[in-house]
Amino acid sequence: RAPGAFRALSVASRPKAAVALGFEAPVAKARPAKESTLPSLGAVGGGDSAPKLVRRSIDWSDLAYLERLVRQGLPVDEAWRGAWQAHCELKRSPADFATSPSKEVLVEFVEQHLFELHNKEWARDLMYRREGEAEV
């Protein structure tokens, strides 16, 4: 073989451990999937009688709803509270709701944390509705 030439390995002849920089590294094992504590968008509880939960649509002009989304997590979620306080410091807005935050501050915060909201237990009632239930 010429220096620097590589030999292709067939699937059957591949090593059990990754070889890199002259030493063998263990092959990573697949991690078991975490079970979500939140309901999937399918039926909850596995039975036909269980209600199907669907995501609520967000009315970005409804400041009372956006404020409720933010406020709901403040007393129960330390990470949420810290993120809100950091956002308010950055935007030079009071974090204590003594005066209502501006629409821009609320919308930006909720947009940035929307994925988290869909996975927070305390936000479930505000982020999901039962199928067939009217949007609020």
Side-chain angles (χ1 to χ4, degrees), residues 21-105:
L21 301 175
F23 63 91
E24 291 185 10
V27 177
K29 294 181 182 177
R31 293 181 188 172
K34 283 186 177 180
E35 289 187 29
S36 174
T37 57
L38 290 177
S40 67
L41 296 181
V44 178
D48 291 331
S49 63
K52 183 177 178 183
L53 295 181
V54 293
R55 286 184 179 172
R56 293 184 187 273
S57 58
I58 295 176
D59 179 359
W60 296 100
S61 63
D62 185 353
L63 297 182
Y65 174 73
L66 296 175
E67 192 171 314
R68 261 191 327 182
L69 275 174
V70 174
R71 281 178 173 247
Q72 185 129 349
L74 295 178
V76 295
D77 189 332
E78 192 174 319
W80 184 258
R81 184 173 41 254
W84 172 247
Q85 289 171 343
H87 182 73
C88 287
E89 281 180 35
L90 182 67
K91 298 297 176 182
R92 294 190 168 104
S93 176
D96 62 0
F97 290 94
T99 59
S100 291
S102 71
K103 177 181 178 181
E104 292 77 25
V105 170

